[in-house]
């Protein structure tokens, strides 16, 4: 059983390295890519289930985005840039997409499902920043 699991992991890692490499280069360095950052601010009494977010919520949204999605990332806040200050964000989810209009078209009909899922992992209202990668 362990051998099968290890072999499966090695195969998936190899496939990701071979087939995912080109996509990753585009997302991290191509000028003009649209970046959608969904930021969850820290506040006393607020909660965030990073495991649920990683395993359920983000894959759900990624599925809605389809081929327009280049990649997505998930960041867990651990500290502020200023010593002894609370961290500014508990988590940030980021989608890198080819087209803002395609992103908006994919999200619009699924907005209610996305929002309904919030209560499964957080009690924070997110801040969304849409930006263009310049370098």
């Amino acid at each position: 059983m362990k051998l099968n699991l290890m072999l499966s992991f090695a195969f998936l890692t190899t496939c990701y390295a071979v087939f995912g490499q080109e996509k990753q280069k585009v997302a991290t360095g191509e000028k003009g890519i649209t970046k959608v950052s969904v930021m969850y601010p820290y506040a006393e009494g607020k909660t965030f289930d990073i495991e649920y977010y990683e395993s359920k919520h983000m894959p759900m949204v990624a599925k809605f985005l389809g081929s327009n999605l280049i990649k997505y990332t998930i960041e867990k806040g651990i500290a502020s840039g200023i010593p002894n200050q609370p961290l500014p964000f508990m988590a940030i989810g980021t989608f890198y997409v080819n087209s803002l209009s395609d992103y908006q078209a994919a999200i619009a009909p699924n907005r209610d499902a996305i929002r309904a899922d919030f209560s499964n992992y957080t009690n924070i209202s997110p801040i969304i920043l849409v930006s263009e990668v310049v370098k």
Side-chain angles (χ1 to χ4, degrees):
M1 180 70 176
K2 282 186 179 182
L3 179 61
N4 284 342
L5 193 58
M6 288 173 47
L7 289 174
S8 295
F9 178 75
F11 175 74
L12 289 173
T13 303
T14 302
C15 287
Y16 177 78
V18 171
F19 298 112
Q21 194 171 19
E22 185 177 329
K23 250 187 177 180
Q24 203 164 30
K25 284 182 195 171
V26 172
T28 57
E30 188 172 324
K31 186 176 181 177
I33 295 294
T34 299
K35 179 180 173 186
V36 180
S37 300
V38 184
M39 303 174 286
Y40 297 87
Y42 170 81
E44 191 77 27
K46 297 297 182 179
T47 60
F48 194 91
D49 183 345
I50 196 80
E51 288 81 19
Y52 183 93
Y53 190 67
E54 180 180 3
S55 65
K56 305 280 189 202
H57 185 77
M58 290 293 277
M60 175 187 69
V61 177
K63 185 177 176 184
F64 294 149
L65 297 177
S67 63
N68 186 39
L69 179 66
I70 298 167
K71 77 170 192 170
Y72 68 87
T73 61
I74 299 169
E75 301 169 50
K76 178 182 175 181
I78 57 172
S80 171
I82 303 169
N84 302 317
Q85 294 295 312
L87 66 152
F89 297 99
M90 293 181 78
I92 301 173
T94 305
F95 298 99
Y96 293 85
V97 296
N98 288 307
S99 163
L100 177 57
S101 60
D102 288 350
Y103 168 83
Q104 292 168 332
I107 292 299
N110 297 295
R111 187 169 283 124
D112 290 342
I114 294 167
R115 287 183 178 165
D117 196 42
F118 285 1
S119 64
N120 291 319
Y121 65 90
T122 191
N123 58 356
I124 302 169
S125 294
I127 297 170
I128 299 173
L129 171 65
V130 178
S131 57
E132 180 182 337
V133 175
V134 295
K135 183 173 181 177

